[in-house]
Amino acid sequence: MMISSASSHLHHVVPISSSTPSSLNFNTSRSTCFSPLSLPSRYRPCKLRVKCAYAGAGVTEDVNSTTIDVAADIRTERLVVLGGSGFVGSAICKAAVAEGIEVISLSRSGRPSDTSTWVDQVTWKIAGDVFYTNWDEVLPGATAVVSTLGGFGSEEQMQRINGEANVVSVDAAKEYGIPKFILISVHEYNLPSFLLSSGYFTGKRKAESQVLSKYPSSGVVFRPGFIYGKRKVDGFEIPLNLIGEPLEKLLLATQSFTRPLNSLPASDLLLAPPVSVDDVALAVVNAVKDDDIFGVFTIEQIKEAAANVKV
């Protein structure tokens, strides 16, 4: 007879011979993870101490008892969020913490002023520029990296922050053996090619190409449109959800009527449904936890990925 534990990823099996007495009691008394955090694997070996007591039929007292050390592989996730104190980044940190994921944020501003309890569960690190980041302090032990880096400015600035900064981050993650890289990119909005040639879009596409080439079977690119939620700027809260949420519902409700217009140039500027920042965050969490998720995700697919975490 074989008895195995139902615990997640517990591989130890205890063989029981046919002569084993009829009563068995297992008491899990202690478990200790003994793998250092520097290991990049998402499975960390742990030692589980189980007390086994057994008695013969009709015997009320224990005939014998002993303690068995059981080796188990426990899956753990450690997520590095680039730009974790920003609008999208902080939502990702919050959602990841809620799902039991260890989170490290790397950003220019460090810990946000938010007093919510989830903030205390994130390790906040300050970096002036990813080009000069000491990755030894950030990446060892991580199982995934998500980049929310991006911004507007001159052509040179947009190429640097949307493209080159993300490329450097992807290369660093690959060098440190991080299993998965997730990029928050942008929807193309069906724009004509001359508009897509701006530094913002070309930078994002350069970053996408790097993710998909370095991580062909585990890289994830999310292409949301307008992201709404409660956004804080210089201490002031901007309720983008008051615009984004009803607009999302309206566009989804009228999608069957507006679909013929999708082929028109730049039509998605008006017809692409907005995406809740919470949905983007949950989609990232889903990608972190599911090894089978990779590739480019459209607005609709982002919402589907988020729904898988909500269930």
Side-chain angles (χ1 to χ4, degrees):
M1 181 173 65
M2 307 291 284
I3 296 178
S4 62
S5 171
S7 300
S8 176
H9 301 293
L10 188 63
H11 303 302
H12 182 84
V13 178
V14 182
I16 304 297
S17 68
S18 58
S19 61
T20 302
S22 58
S23 176
L24 284 169
N25 295 308
F26 287 91
N27 176 27
T28 302
S29 59
R30 180 168 60 90
S31 62
T32 305
C33 291
F34 51 87
S35 173
L37 287 178
S38 59
L39 289 179
S41 172
R42 61 182 59 197
Y43 293 97
R44 297 201 179 102
C46 295
K47 182 176 288 186
L48 184 69
R49 179 152 290 180
V50 179
K51 187 174 183 180
C52 177
Y54 58 92
V59 179
T60 57
E61 295 183 359
D62 288 347
V63 174
N64 195 9
S65 66
T66 186
T67 299
I68 304 173
D69 286 337
V70 181
D73 288 340
I74 307 299
R75 175 166 176 155
T76 58
E77 304 290 358
R78 193 182 198 196
L79 175 65
V80 174
V81 184
L82 304 181
S85 57
F87 174 51
V88 176
S90 59
I92 292 173
C93 290
K94 180 180 179 181
V97 164
E99 289 295 316
I101 298 173
E102 182 184 353
V103 179
I104 296 176
S105 165
L106 183 68
S107 65
R108 292 184 175 183
S109 55
R111 182 188 176 100
S113 57
D114 195 321
T115 57
S116 302
T117 55
W118 67 266
V119 176
D120 296 328
Q121 300 177 60
V122 176
T123 300
W124 302 96
K125 293 185 177 292
I126 299 177
D129 199 319
V130 294
F131 294 99
Y132 309 107
T133 294
N134 182 1
W135 295 109
D136 285 335
E137 298 179 356
V138 182
L139 293 180
T143 57
V145 175
V146 58
S147 175
T148 66
L149 301 178
F152 295 95
S154 66
E155 283 293 305
E156 182 180 354
Q157 289 172 330
M158 290 190 292
Q159 284 279 5
R160 184 172 173 80
I161 188 63
N162 295 300
E164 295 169 16
N166 282 309
V167 168
V168 166
S169 302
V170 173
D171 290 344
K174 189 65 178 179
E175 182 180 344
Y176 278 79
I178 311 305
K180 175 166 283 191
F181 197 100
I182 304 164
L183 175 71
I184 306 301
S185 189
V186 63
H187 184 63
E188 287 188 340
Y189 292 103
N190 201 22
L191 293 173
S193 57
F194 74 91
L195 289 177
L196 291 174
S197 64
S198 71
Y200 183 82
F201 287 100
T202 57
K204 288 287 190 181
R205 296 301 173 252
K206 182 178 181 180
E208 289 184 8
S209 177
Q210 194 72 355
V211 171
L212 298 175
S213 64
K214 293 286 186 178
Y215 291 89
S217 59
S218 63
V220 179
V221 173
F222 288 127
R223 289 182 175 178
F226 169 58
I227 301 176
Y228 68 86
K230 294 181 179 179
R231 184 168 191 166
K232 288 186 177 180
V233 179
D234 297 329
F236 294 96
E237 190 173 86
I238 303 176
L240 296 176
N241 55 307
L242 296 181
I243 300 173
E245 190 171 355
L247 182 58
E248 178 185 15
K249 292 179 179 178
L250 174 63
L251 290 174
L252 290 176
T254 59
Q255 210 167 37
S256 58
F257 302 102
T258 59
R259 189 170 286 114
L261 303 176
N262 290 344
S263 59
L264 297 176
S267 58
D268 277 0
L269 287 173
L270 297 175
L271 301 179
V275 183
S276 163
V277 69
D278 293 330
D279 279 349
V280 174
L282 290 175
V284 169
V285 169
N286 192 23
V288 171
K289 299 177 73 173
D290 191 340
D291 295 337
D292 295 328
I293 289 182
F294 63 93
V296 179
F297 282 67
T298 63
I299 295 173
E300 183 178 354
Q301 291 168 330
I302 291 172
K303 295 178 180 181
E304 290 174 357
N308 289 335
V309 181
K310 291 178 181 179
V311 174

